[in-house]
Amino acid sequence: MIRSLLFGALACALVSAPVFAQEEDDAPIPYIDEEVDSRPTDDRGLRELPRSSEGTPDLRDETWVGEEDGDVSLARLDDPNKGVGGSVVAGLMLLDSSQGRFAEPRFAWGLRFTWEYGRLIPADPWHDALFADVGWTWGTLHDGTARIFADSHYHYFTLAPAYELHVDAVKSFGFFAQLGAGLAYQSEAIQSDGQITTIAGVKPLFQYGIGVRGRPVLREDPMLRLVWRLELTRFRRGYMDDTLIAASVGADF
C-alpha cells in the first residue's frame, strides 16, 4: 500500500514539472527559422531603432543625376537667358595708308550678332566665358584732288570667337580677347576729268583684338541684358592692317 502511494506521488511530480517551468518563463519560444533580434533595449524595455545611413547627398542646392562615370549637375538647365543678341558698332577706323603715312583716320560703323555658345558647355569656366561674333563693319575713304579722286568703300565680314575673363561674382563685367577670320570686300570709284572707273575685289581677312564688355541685367522675366563694349580690333587684309577703335551697344536675351 505504501509503495503504491509513493509511486503515485512521484508520477504527479513528473507531470507538473513542465507546468511550473512554463509559469516561470512566459516568453514565447521563437521559431527555428526566425532571426533573433539582438538589438539593445532602453530602460523601458523598448528596442532602439536603427540609425539612418550617413553620406546622403544634400539636394537643396543642386540637382544631380548619376551616370556610370560620375555625377552630372543639371543646375544650369533652367537658365532663363538664351545668350543671343545684337549690337550697333561705331568708332574710328585707322586705314592703312598707301602713301606712307601712319594711317587714314575715318569714321566706321557696323552691326554685330553675338551668340554665347559657351552655354552648351555646363562646366566652369567655359559656360559663361565663351562667345562668338558675326559682324559687318563698313568704312569709306575719299582721297585725291578736285579733278582726280577716288572714293573707296571697305566692308569687313567676320566670324570671331572670344574668351572673357569676368571681374565680378555675378559675371556681368569682364575683359575679353578675340580671334577670327573672314572676308574684306573693297570697291573703288575713280573719277578723272568727268570719267568714272570702278574696280572691286575680295581678300581674305584675319581679325584679332581685345576689349572690355558689360552685360548688366535690365529685366529678369524674361531675362534681358544691356550689352556694351569698348574694344580695339585689327583687320589684316592682305599685307595691310586696319585698326578699329570702337564702342558698341545692344541687348541680348
Side-chain angles (χ1 to χ4, degrees):
M1 183 66 179
I2 296 174
R3 290 167 57 182
S4 299
L5 293 175
L6 292 176
F7 180 77
L10 180 60
C12 292
L14 293 175
V15 174
S16 61
V19 178
F20 288 117
Q22 184 175 0
E23 291 178 356
E24 293 177 0
D25 188 5
D26 292 335
I29 301 174
Y31 292 99
I32 296 176
D33 58 349
E34 184 177 77
E35 194 176 67
V36 179
D37 193 350
S38 60
R39 290 177 295 178
T41 59
D42 57 13
D43 296 338
R44 297 174 296 174
L46 300 177
R47 300 191 183 278
E48 296 181 0
L49 295 176
R51 297 181 180 179
S52 60
S53 59
E54 297 180 357
T56 303
D58 189 358
L59 302 180
R60 293 175 297 176
D61 297 333
E62 296 189 35
T63 303
W64 296 85
V65 174
E67 291 189 351
E68 294 181 1
D69 298 332
D71 294 334
V72 177
S73 173
L74 303 180
R76 298 187 186 274
L77 295 183
D78 60 349
D79 192 341
N81 189 262
K82 304 302 181 183
V84 294
S87 302
V88 177
V89 184
L92 181 66
M93 179 71 78
L94 302 178
L95 295 169
D96 200 346
S97 177
S98 60
Q99 301 179 6
R101 294 193 291 248
F102 168 71
E104 301 284 353
R106 294 293 186 273
F107 173 76
W109 73 280
L111 300 174
R112 178 163 52 207
F113 170 79
T114 302
W115 177 34
E116 308 282 339
Y117 71 94
R119 296 178 179 276
L120 300 177
I121 307 173
D124 287 329
W126 313 109
H127 182 81
D128 296 298
L130 297 177
F131 65 91
D133 294 329
V134 176
W136 164 70
T137 308
W138 172 70
T140 61
L141 176 64
H142 176 84
D143 194 16
T145 64
R147 293 183 57 187
I148 303 175
F149 59 88
D151 289 319
S152 303
H153 298 265
Y154 301 88
H155 300 267
Y156 306 89
F157 302 93
T158 57
L159 171 62
Y163 178 85
E164 183 176 14
L165 180 62
H166 295 94
V167 297
D168 60 332
V170 295
K171 299 181 180 181
S172 296
F173 301 94
F175 296 92
F176 68 90
Q178 197 165 35
L179 186 65
L183 295 174
Y185 173 75
Q186 179 179 351
S187 63
E188 291 189 7
I190 303 173
Q191 183 170 331
S192 175
D193 295 330
Q195 295 183 353
I196 300 177
T197 303
T198 60
I199 56 175
V202 177
K203 293 182 179 180
L205 180 68
F206 181 66
Q207 174 188 344
Y208 58 97
I210 57 174
V212 57
R213 185 174 76 143
R215 298 175 64 243
V217 176
L218 293 179
R219 189 173 57 190
E220 295 185 358
D221 189 20
M223 180 67 75
L224 179 65
R225 291 178 179 267
L226 172 69
V227 181
W228 58 265
R229 292 193 206 179
L230 299 175
E231 56 192 299
L232 174 64
T233 304
R234 300 205 74 184
F235 301 101
R236 176 81 177 179
R237 50 182 180 90
Y239 61 90
M240 307 185 75
D241 292 291
D242 302 325
T243 303
L244 175 64
I245 304 173
S248 65
V249 62
D252 70 5
F253 55 91

